[in-house]
Amino acid sequence: MADSFEKGTELLRETAGVVLGESTVQRTTEATGNRIATHMQKGRTFGGKVAWDWFRDACGRTVGYIGIDATGVRQQGPRGEAADGRMAYVGMVFNPLPDRERVFECLPKPGVAMRARYISGLYPLAGMGPLIRRQGAQVDLDRAEVWVALTDGGAGLEDFVRLNFPRVEAVILDFYHAAEYLAQLARALHPTDEGAALAQTKSWSRLLRDEWGHVMIGVLEGWEWPSRKGLATVRSEVPGYFRNQVDRMDYPSYEAAGWYIGSGAVESACKTVVGQRMKGSGMRWSEPGSHAVCHVRALYRSERGQRTDFWRRSTTT
């Protein structure tokens, strides 16, 4: 899928000999997204029910993963007027390949890939729940013995997951989000020495991964911090963030169970579903346009059978 409407016109002309104007490609894309959204609001999913073969964790239990994150989309108002940005949620149900460093039995054959189904749009957080649950039902998430969720520390995400997926065993705070807070603190501690900041980040991150959040909080609270402009604010914010999220930072236990601790799949989804198409240099969107394109991108990135079924419905209804 082209990363701009202009490139879309070029791609159609070069590969299919179809000559369309950029505005026509834009209107068609947004109309397609609106049709996808309409189907979804009516409770429909695309493609037949397919029971995924859920992979197993280190305890031999099948595991289904849920993820949700949000990413900003720049907006513009009517006649090009300035407008506040909007957050697009990206939700997914996915079946990642087992971590071969921790799972040694019932491994998939070579060539098997991760499976994922995505939902995206400018929905309120509560509105994402039914949409993601329907995707889970379509791939028989109930058959997975364990449910694990991965999110960042965004407000309300843990409560959202536990409300909509009450069987979830752990709502894991993305390790790499937590590590980025440590990197921010390390840069404030060593503002003129990039090497020292990087070394400190690695040391703290390893401690967090090996010992979990409570130990990390104790280390930060006991650190002998120098008096330096700009450091005081960061050194108070980071431990506060960790205290608020500490119950989701039991990384040694998560990894011992063979679960993923970093939402690489979710972060990748934000980039590939939304970022690559909608966050290019200088891009700004109308609210209806961005909502529509989020739906097109989510369906495009999901399994091929879903796209095929959508187009079949579009030509028969």
Side-chain angles (χ1 to χ4, degrees):
M1 186 173 177
D3 57 8
S4 72
F5 295 124
E6 180 183 8
K7 290 186 178 179
T9 63
E10 296 173 0
L11 187 63
L12 285 169
R13 183 175 62 252
E14 293 171 0
T15 60
V18 176
V19 180
L20 295 174
E22 183 177 341
S23 61
T24 301
V25 173
Q26 178 177 351
R27 289 195 302 271
T28 303
T29 302
E30 292 179 357
T32 299
N34 289 331
R35 290 203 302 274
I36 296 170
T38 298
H39 280 300
M40 291 172 54
Q41 290 302 309
K42 291 180 178 179
R44 298 170 183 164
T45 54
F46 303 116
K49 185 171 182 177
V50 179
W52 283 355
D53 185 12
W54 299 98
F55 299 126
R56 297 181 181 273
D57 65 10
C59 301
R61 302 174 299 177
T62 52
V63 186
Y65 285 84
I66 304 107
I68 186 164
D69 204 346
T71 186
V73 179
R74 293 186 294 270
Q75 302 281 296
Q76 70 176 18
R79 297 176 297 279
E81 297 172 358
D84 293 335
R86 289 292 307 275
M87 298 300 290
Y89 281 106
V90 179
M92 61 187 297
V93 176
F94 60 113
N95 189 20
L97 298 177
D99 181 351
R100 290 178 179 267
E101 292 185 2
R102 294 174 175 83
V103 180
F104 307 105
E105 298 180 355
C106 301
L107 295 172
K109 296 179 180 179
V112 174
M114 182 188 86
R115 304 183 75 171
R117 299 201 174 192
Y118 302 99
I119 296 291
S120 184
L122 304 189
Y123 292 102
L125 179 57
M128 291 290 290
L131 304 179
I132 303 174
R133 288 200 307 272
R134 290 186 196 118
Q135 294 297 320
Q138 195 181 26
V139 297
D140 214 353
L141 180 62
D142 279 340
R143 287 182 60 248
E145 296 170 274
V146 178
W147 292 356
V148 173
L150 283 160
T151 78
D152 67 8
L157 292 184
E158 181 179 8
D159 291 341
F160 166 87
V161 170
R162 294 196 180 279
L163 174 65
N164 286 281
F165 299 92
R167 273 187 50 206
V168 74
E169 190 158 324
V171 184
I172 299 172
L173 177 71
D174 185 337
F175 173 80
Y176 300 103
H177 278 274
E180 181 53 38
Y181 274 81
L182 295 176
Q184 179 185 356
L185 184 56
R187 289 191 293 268
L189 181 62
H190 301 286
T192 61
D193 190 336
E194 184 177 345
L198 180 59
Q200 187 64 74
T201 299
K202 290 182 177 179
S203 175
W204 281 340
S205 297
R206 173 52 60 185
L207 179 66
L208 174 62
R209 189 166 188 164
D210 290 345
E211 300 292 342
W212 88 313
H214 283 295
V215 173
M216 191 72 247
I217 292 170
V219 168
L220 295 179
E221 290 179 341
W223 201 271
E224 294 185 5
W225 300 101
S227 298
R228 180 179 298 124
K229 183 179 180 181
L231 177 59
T233 300
V234 180
R235 58 172 279 205
S236 64
E237 287 178 351
V238 173
Y241 172 83
F242 274 66
R243 282 190 290 270
N244 290 336
Q245 304 290 343
V246 69
D247 291 339
R248 303 172 55 200
M249 293 180 168
D250 189 2
Y251 299 119
S253 295
Y254 304 149
E255 289 201 304
W259 301 340
Y260 282 94
I261 63 171
S263 57
V266 182
E267 286 294 301
S268 176
C270 283
K271 292 176 182 177
T272 59
V273 172
V274 177
Q276 286 181 357
R277 179 60 188 87
M278 304 178 68
K279 301 178 78 168
S281 177
M283 285 187 178
R284 293 186 181 275
W285 297 81
S286 69
E287 185 171 315
S290 52
H291 185 63
V293 173
C294 280
H295 286 82
V296 175
R297 293 289 298 183
L299 186 61
Y300 170 69
R301 297 300 305 180
S302 294
E303 293 184 302
R304 183 178 298 275
Q306 291 188 289
R307 303 196 297 273
T308 302
D309 184 62
F310 166 73
W311 288 115
R312 180 187 59 79
R313 291 189 187 200
S314 296
T315 58
T316 58
T317 58

